[in-house]
Amino acid sequence: MSVTRENILAELDRIQLPDGGSLVSHEMVRALSVEGGQVRFVIEAANPEDARKMEPIRAAAVKLIEELPGVEGVSAVLTAHAPAQSAQKAPPHKAPAPDLKIGGHPKPQAAKIKPAGVKRIISVGSGKGGVGKSTVSANLAVALARAGKRVGLLDADIYGPSQPRMMGISGKPQASADNQLLPPEAYGVKVMSIGLMLEEGQAVVWRGPMLMGALQQFLTEVAWGDLDVLIVDLPPGTGDVLLTLAQKSELDGAIMVSTPQDVALLDARKGIDMLNRLEVPLIGLIENMSVYVCPKCGHEEHVFGQGGVEAEAKKIGAPLLAQLPIDLETRLGGDEGRPIAAGPGVMSEAYQRLAGRLIEAGVI
């Protein structure tokens, strides 16, 4: 018998807290995952003091879940919102860093956000992970910069930031004299990512409001300067980031990335439906991993099916912006911080054509 998320939550709902309610009713259970018989979750307290008092509750939760049929192992971690820190006077030669803390919530705003100097904000998303969305985002940004555009790249995949690695940048951002984060630049692109503020391998365990607060700060507390376009690399799916971006910022349009296979398209359709509901213009679709061409014999193999995204684009009346093949050098370049679009070659030319098409259409 396999255990499910619903089984786990039902059991955790039985654990009553001293002030009434349960772990589940107080929304304290975070990052719950069930893989085979292994169960992992986080119990998030309101502050560190409460977290220290909740160790018996954490232990009771582990014991309760261990007794469920099908459970082979349980890992539960206590965490808390970061405590408010008193402001300290910075040395006169160095401005204090902007207040981007784990646990920050969004601030009230009277109007939708668009950073001063940024002409357009365009998101790149996907219905599911593993379709190469971040690779497309990075290389499109580089291709646009090579075409003479002023480009920023915001890595909004808070839980799985990959742009620092793909763009070959590291180190924590510096602060400007007016207390703004200075985005590092690579290949002519200004880049900002939560990954630049974390130790390698450090996980982000946040509630939705914390995530939304960080996104708001990336838009308002980063010195983007004058940009023709800010490309936002979204996390996969239809969660809080896209919802926040559409509701809180002036999002000018979205690009959807998918592989041709039916399973990926199922989720891509959900992403497109969410864009429609949020009234965000769909700029077009990109079919990634469309074909594999053997470098030795030239044989073409459609590993993930053929023409699925093209057919979907025709069905919904959206432009098919590009069909990008599976390419080893593209993958190696991403791992090594050398976007394929920055150099010569067939794949670089493909991204140049994609950038040119967007420019000619007046999207950017």
Side-chain angles (χ1 to χ4, degrees), residues 109-130:
Q109 59 183 72
K112 288 193 173 184
I113 300 169
K114 176 167 281 188
V118 175
K119 291 182 179 179
R120 300 197 177 182
I121 302 175
I122 292 176
S123 68
V124 178
S126 65
K128 66 185 286 94

Side-chain angles (χ1 to χ4, degrees), residues 19-47:
D19 59 349
S22 70
L23 292 174
V24 175
S25 66
H26 283 285
E27 298 184 352
M28 298 175 71
V29 179
R30 297 288 166 183
L32 172 59
S33 69
V34 182
E35 299 178 5
Q38 299 296 321
V39 178
R40 300 178 181 86
F41 58 92
V42 171
I43 299 174
E44 185 180 69
N47 54 63

Side-chain angles (χ1 to χ4, degrees), residues 105-167:
H105 284 221
K107 300 174 183 177
Q109 59 183 72
K112 288 193 173 184
I113 300 169
K114 176 167 281 188
V118 175
K119 291 182 179 179
R120 300 197 177 182
I121 302 175
I122 292 176
S123 68
V124 178
S126 65
K128 66 185 286 94
V131 301
K133 164 193 54 63
S134 293
T135 298
V136 170
S137 298
N139 283 287
L140 174 58
V142 171
L144 286 167
R146 290 188 67 181
K149 296 297 181 180
R150 298 165 299 178
V151 185
L153 177 60
L154 171 54
D155 186 355
D157 193 348
I158 303 295
Y159 297 126
S162 56
Q163 292 302 344
R165 169 65 67 87
M166 290 187 170
M167 296 295 288

Side-chain angles (χ1 to χ4, degrees), residues 10 28 41 61 63 65 70 73 82 85 138 199 204 210 228 243 280-281 288 298 328 342 353 356:
M28 298 175 71
F41 58 92
K63 187 174 185 301
I65 301 304
Q85 298 180 3
E199 299 299 328
V204 175
M210 301 178 204
D228 293 305
L243 182 62
V280 176
N288 199 28
L328 177 60
R353 288 193 297 272

Side-chain angles (χ1 to χ4, degrees), residues 76 209 263 266 334:
V263 172
L266 284 172

Side-chain angles (χ1 to χ4, degrees), residues 114-332:
K114 176 167 281 188
V118 175
K119 291 182 179 179
R120 300 197 177 182
I121 302 175
I122 292 176
S123 68
V124 178
S126 65
K128 66 185 286 94
V131 301
K133 164 193 54 63
S134 293
T135 298
V136 170
S137 298
N139 283 287
L140 174 58
V142 171
L144 286 167
R146 290 188 67 181
K149 296 297 181 180
R150 298 165 299 178
V151 185
L153 177 60
L154 171 54
D155 186 355
D157 193 348
I158 303 295
Y159 297 126
S162 56
Q163 292 302 344
R165 169 65 67 87
M166 290 187 170
M167 296 295 288
I169 55 177
S170 60
K172 294 187 177 180
Q174 299 299 308
S176 68
D178 57 351
N179 202 27
Q180 294 276 295
L181 282 173
L182 297 172
E185 187 169 325
Y187 304 99
V189 178
K190 294 181 179 180
V191 183
M192 183 51 64
S193 170
I194 192 68
L196 296 172
M197 301 178 182
L198 303 173
E199 299 299 328
E200 186 171 355
Q202 181 181 350
V204 175
V205 184
W206 283 355
R207 290 176 181 269
M210 301 178 204
L211 182 151
M212 291 184 283
L215 182 60
Q216 184 187 63
Q217 289 174 292
F218 278 144
L219 291 171
T220 61
E221 297 182 10
V222 173
W224 290 110
D226 293 331
L227 297 180
D228 293 305
V229 62
L230 176 62
I231 293 177
V232 183
D233 178 22
L234 295 174
T238 56
D240 287 334
V241 170
L242 176 55
L243 182 62
T244 301
L245 193 66
Q247 293 181 335
K248 302 295 185 180
S249 74
E250 293 185 23
L251 183 57
D252 294 284
I255 295 171
M256 185 65 63
V257 179
S258 179
T259 59
Q261 71 183 112
D262 292 341
V263 172
L265 280 167
L266 284 172
D267 291 328
R269 292 186 187 106
K270 296 173 185 176
I272 294 170
D273 180 62
M274 183 173 183
L275 293 175
N276 291 334
R277 291 170 183 264
L278 295 173
E279 298 182 346
V280 176
L282 176 63
I283 295 169
L285 280 64
I286 293 176
E287 183 175 272
N288 199 28
M289 307 183 196
S290 62
V291 63
Y292 171 73
V293 181
C294 177
K296 295 183 178 179
C297 67
H299 173 70
E300 294 187 359
E301 190 73 36
H302 294 275
V303 181
F304 295 104
Q306 185 174 4
V309 178
E310 182 177 16
E312 187 67 22
K314 290 179 180 178
K315 178 181 176 181
I316 64 176
L320 178 66
L321 300 174
Q323 290 176 294
L324 303 170
I326 301 174
D327 178 68
L328 177 60
E329 291 302 317
T330 300
R331 194 273 296 172
L332 292 173

Side-chain angles (χ1 to χ4, degrees), residues 88-101:
Q88 297 182 358
K89 187 176 180 180
H93 65 280
K94 185 177 180 182
D99 187 25
L100 186 62
K101 298 188 182 76

